[in-house]
Amino acid sequence: MTAEPRLSPAERSGIVRDGIAVGLATGAYGVGFGAVSVASGLSVAQTCVLSLLMFTGASQFALVGVVAAGGAPLSGAATALLLGTRNTLYGLRMAPLLQWRGWRRAAAAHVLIDESTAMSVNRPTTEGARLGFTTTGVAVFLLWNLATAIGALAGEAVGDPRTFGLDAAVGAAFLALLWPRLKDDRNILVGVLGAAVALTMVPITAAGVPVLAAGGVAVLVGVLSKRDDPTELPGTDDVAGGHH
């Protein structure tokens, strides 16, 4: 079996530079999460622990969104888990590419997000894939958590979330996460159907249940569909959006 070519110093520098740039761009979103989380009723400590342990932006926004609406924490956790299932699919693709075992594989699982996957999945060598994955994952993790703490402290200082319109921030955050996915006709249909199901269930169910029901629509379409979602596959467009 032919040995893979080693990365040149210039190639390594380029991969590291790109990974840090993605970390800076994505980490900035953590300020918004921190402020939204505190506005939803979580403490600064709870918000920071959530970013440290969960570390997947869309799922974190989902959890605090359900809590903000008065839903049970378990409903929020279920919604977050539903949104985070795509990371499992990333793992199936990345495990044979990165070829890590033991504690390295376990550590990599924690930073397995859109950005780290996108910055490594198309590398021609294992060394390049590992460097891109590690640099991007660690950069996003550190900066996301730092930004979360800043946003949470700022949100706590504001006090009443209505003072600066933070009570509407959860809905705005979800819209920001959804918008890049609406480039595909199927996703538009899923969004409309999900919204219809959620609105129908709001008067008759507890808070948090409509979100789970709407998520079920997306799951059902995904199971029945015969093609991939072109807006979900990791790539440069997804990296720019910061939807980890």
Side-chain angles (χ1 to χ4, degrees):
M1 187 174 180
T2 306
E4 292 182 346
R6 300 283 297 177
L7 292 174
S8 69
E11 289 174 324
R12 293 184 64 86
S13 297
I15 293 173
V16 171
R17 183 177 60 250
D18 291 344
I20 293 174
V22 170
L24 289 170
T26 306
Y29 286 87
V31 174
F33 170 72
V36 167
S37 181
V38 170
S40 299
L42 274 69
S43 68
V44 172
Q46 289 171 327
T47 297
C48 291
V49 168
L50 197 59
S51 277
L52 280 169
L53 300 182
M54 182 179 285
F55 186 54
T56 172
S59 295
Q60 291 178 224
F61 274 112
L63 192 153
V64 299
V66 172
V67 172
L74 282 178
S75 295
T79 305
L81 182 63
L82 189 66
L83 285 174
T85 52
R86 75 185 190 282
N87 291 31
T88 303
L89 302 178
Y90 293 169
L92 295 175
R93 176 66 183 90
M94 296 306 299
L97 179 62
L98 297 175
Q99 300 178 27
W100 276 325
R101 296 289 184 271
W103 69 268
R104 291 181 178 84
R105 190 167 187 170
H110 195 57
V111 293
L112 181 67
I113 54 177
D114 293 359
E115 292 80 8
S116 59
T117 300
M119 293 296 287
S120 57
V121 71
N122 292 321
R123 302 290 179 188
T125 65
T126 299
E127 182 186 11
R130 287 177 172 179
L131 183 60
F133 182 92
T134 303
T135 303
T136 306
V138 171
V140 173
F141 179 79
L142 293 176
L143 293 167
W144 174 263
N145 280 280
L146 175 61
T148 293
I150 293 171
L153 291 170
E156 186 180 52
V158 167
D160 186 348
R162 293 173 295 181
T163 302
F164 295 101
L166 288 179
D167 52 323
V170 172
F174 267 113
L175 182 60
L177 292 170
L178 174 65
W179 192 258
R181 311 299 185 194
L182 298 182
K183 298 175 183 177
D184 183 69
D185 290 341
R186 185 186 62 178
N187 289 352
I188 294 175
L189 177 62
V190 170
V192 172
L193 290 176
V197 169
L199 289 172
T200 300
M201 298 190 70
V202 165
I204 59 175
T205 61
V209 175
V211 177
L212 286 174
V217 172
V219 171
L220 180 62
V221 172
V223 170
L224 297 177
S225 178
K226 301 299 182 183
R227 66 177 178 87
D228 293 326
D229 178 359
T231 70
E232 183 63 28
L233 297 176
T236 54
D237 290 341
D238 220 21
V239 171
H243 307 299
H244 75 284

